[in-house]
Amino acid sequence: MAQRRADPPPADHGVFMISVAAELAGMHPQTLRMYEARGLITPSRSPKRTRLYSQRDIERLRRIHRLTTEMGMNLAGVERVLAMEQAMRSLQERMERMQAETERLHRELAERIEQVHRSYRRELVRWQPPGAVARREDVRRDAFTIPIRRKDGSAAREPRAQGHEEPGT
Amino acid sequence: MAQRRADPPPADHGVFMISVAAELAGMHPQTLRMYEARGLITPSRSPKRTRLYSQRDIERLRRIHRLTTEMGMNLAGVERVLAMEQAMRSLQERMERMQAETERLHRELAERIEQVHRSYRRELVRWQPPGAVARREDVRRDAFTIPIRRKDGSAAREPRAQGHEEPGT
DNA sequence: TTGCTCCTCACGTCACGTGAGGTGGC
DNA sequence: TTGCTCCTCACGTCACGTGAGGTGGC
């Protein structure tokens, strides 16, 4: 009741029986059975063992069809090419993530340096009239904590707000 | 005279005639002619039109041999797979360059920030005894010029050594 | 002359697609 | 009963590899 003609079935849900799937993919039903025997496609099955092809299965079948008819490849080649296309997609995705990370780093580099400049300027500018008590808080209340990335890539917060420690002096 | 049995021929220089190449690749000479007719391999030719296969050609032939015999692929598939392997290598190389660049940026980030800290510390620490003349050079002779990357990725040197300009004050 | 090269043509084998044939459940 | 499903078996076609056959230059 709740879902009547709502939401199309998910792309990997088996819905087409073999004659429909063959029609959609432009193939002979027997060919689909052969492809399954070869391990090229694995439709789900109904409780009565009837094959049920998903939308994703149909797309894969069409891809196979193009590779065999347009390019003249045999099934061994199709199998290999499909696997390589998958690997290619993964590599591509990983590269896009890296690209984004690199751009982020570029922006961050400029921003962090500016941040350090700003923090020093606050210390230098915060001038107190003679005789007034300069409280440590006046100097330190601005966030003077600079996140630094460690060599292994993890983020770390360096506690820099402990006054002005000159290392080795 | 200068080169006698020195330097092996470069990998892409045609040196083997067809019977030798076929022997090295484990194939029938006629098969090599067929592959050439299909555009799978293009050996160079002597002035007398004799085919000359390079070391790289031999390696390619061996790769083809593995794909056809071990994997059972036909030539259309082999062609496609070889092209994809090439694309894969390019992608892989590009990714390695990006990886190196990202690591370089990580190191640079920490280093630049440290550099800014150092430059401020020099200004603060360089104390002169009362009555002595503090020359501008004492403050500025350390390189206080910080290369910054622009948004478009090109490197730029920001001339920061012009005293202490507070922008907008 | 021998042994290579070049080429074209033809045939055997095998993979692939598909049709036939028989079964069983809505 | 009709039209689907399941399965196996068999055949036609085509790609591929290779052999044969004839030519020509070291």
Side-chain angles (χ1 to χ4, degrees):
Chain A
M1 294 289 184
Q3 45 181 14
R4 201 188 340 164
R5 288 188 179 276
D7 317 316
D12 52 359
H13 200 232
V15 283
F16 309 113
M17 53 199 322
I18 199 166
S19 58
V20 180
E23 177 80 23
L24 289 172
M27 293 170 150
H28 195 284
Q30 196 60 17
T31 306
L32 270 57
R33 294 191 184 100
M34 197 190 67
Y35 285 0
E36 186 180 0
R38 297 287 195 108
L40 268 172
I41 187 107
T42 312
S44 60
R45 299 267 185 155
S46 75
K48 296 285 182 189
R49 303 279 304 149
T50 296
R51 291 171 178 80
L52 293 174
Y53 294 84
S54 69
Q55 190 58 45
R56 207 182 299 280
D57 287 335
I58 303 297
E59 279 150 27
R60 186 174 173 89
L61 286 171
R62 285 190 181 136
R63 181 86 191 105
I64 295 173
H65 192 57
R66 275 198 301 277
L67 292 175
T68 54
T69 57
E70 291 174 21
M71 311 214 56
M73 292 173 45
N74 67 6
L75 303 187
V78 167
E79 207 173 337
R80 180 81 170 192
V81 165
L82 290 180
M84 287 185 77
E85 284 176 353
Q86 181 55 47
M88 208 87 141
R89 273 193 295 274
S90 305
L91 210 58
Q92 200 92 39
E93 277 170 27
R94 199 177 137 203
M95 202 156 78
E96 275 158 24
R97 281 197 303 274
M98 273 177 69
Q99 181 76 48
E101 167 72 359
T102 302
E103 281 164 16
R104 196 188 62 72
L105 270 178
H106 272 135
R107 285 193 302 274
E108 198 172 297
L109 174 61
E111 193 189 317
R112 290 288 167 76
I113 288 170
E114 184 49 36
Q115 198 177 355
V116 176
H117 277 299
R118 265 200 312 266
S119 68
Y120 276 107
R121 280 186 210 121
R122 282 194 194 100
E123 286 196 345
L124 293 171
V125 160
R126 195 170 293 275
W127 177 83
Q128 301 287 344
V133 176
R135 294 166 302 168
R136 289 176 73 86
E137 285 78 4
D138 290 340
V139 172
R140 288 161 68 228
R141 82 164 163 234
D142 299 302
F144 188 33
T145 309
I146 299 154
I148 299 278
R149 286 200 177 264
R150 296 207 193 91
K151 272 184 182 168
D152 63 4
S154 66
R157 293 233 154 222
E158 288 213 352
R160 283 242 181 201
Q162 321 299 333
H164 219 140
E165 296 170 1
E166 284 286 325
T169 13
Chain B
M1 293 288 185
Q3 44 180 13
R4 200 190 337 165
R5 287 188 178 275
D7 318 315
D12 52 359
H13 200 234
V15 284
F16 309 114
M17 52 199 323
I18 200 166
S19 58
V20 181
E23 177 80 25
L24 289 172
M27 292 169 151
H28 194 283
Q30 196 59 18
T31 306
L32 269 57
R33 296 192 183 99
M34 197 189 67
Y35 285 0
E36 185 180 1
R38 297 287 195 107
L40 268 171
I41 188 108
T42 312
S44 58
R45 298 267 186 156
S46 75
K48 296 285 181 191
R49 303 279 306 148
T50 295
R51 283 170 252 257
L52 292 175
Y53 294 83
S54 69
Q55 190 57 47
R56 207 182 299 280
D57 288 334
I58 303 296
E59 278 150 28
R60 185 175 173 89
L61 287 171
R62 284 190 181 138
R63 181 86 190 105
I64 295 173
H65 192 58
R66 274 198 302 276
L67 292 175
T68 54
T69 56
E70 291 174 19
M71 311 213 56
M73 292 173 45
N74 67 6
L75 302 187
V78 167
E79 208 174 336
R80 179 82 170 191
V81 165
L82 290 180
M84 288 184 77
E85 284 177 351
Q86 181 54 48
M88 209 89 141
R89 273 192 296 272
S90 305
L91 209 60
Q92 200 92 40
E93 276 170 24
R94 199 176 137 203
M95 202 155 80
E96 276 159 22
R97 281 197 304 273
M98 273 177 67
Q99 181 78 48
E101 167 72 359
T102 302
E103 280 165 15
R104 196 188 60 74
L105 271 178
H106 273 134
R107 284 192 304 273
E108 197 172 298
L109 175 61
E111 193 190 317
R112 290 287 166 77
I113 287 170
E114 185 49 36
Q115 199 178 356
V116 176
H117 277 299
R118 265 200 313 264
S119 67
Y120 276 106
R121 280 188 210 120
R122 283 194 193 102
E123 288 195 343
L124 293 171
V125 160
R126 196 170 291 274
W127 176 82
Q128 301 287 344
V133 175
R135 294 166 302 168
R136 287 176 73 88
E137 286 77 3
D138 290 335
V139 173
R140 289 160 69 228
R141 81 166 162 233
D142 298 303
F144 188 34
T145 309
I146 299 154
I148 298 277
R149 285 202 178 262
R150 296 208 193 91
K151 273 182 182 170
D152 63 4
S154 67
R157 293 232 155 222
E158 287 213 352
R160 283 241 183 203
Q162 319 299 334
H164 218 140
E165 294 170 1
E166 284 284 327
T169 14

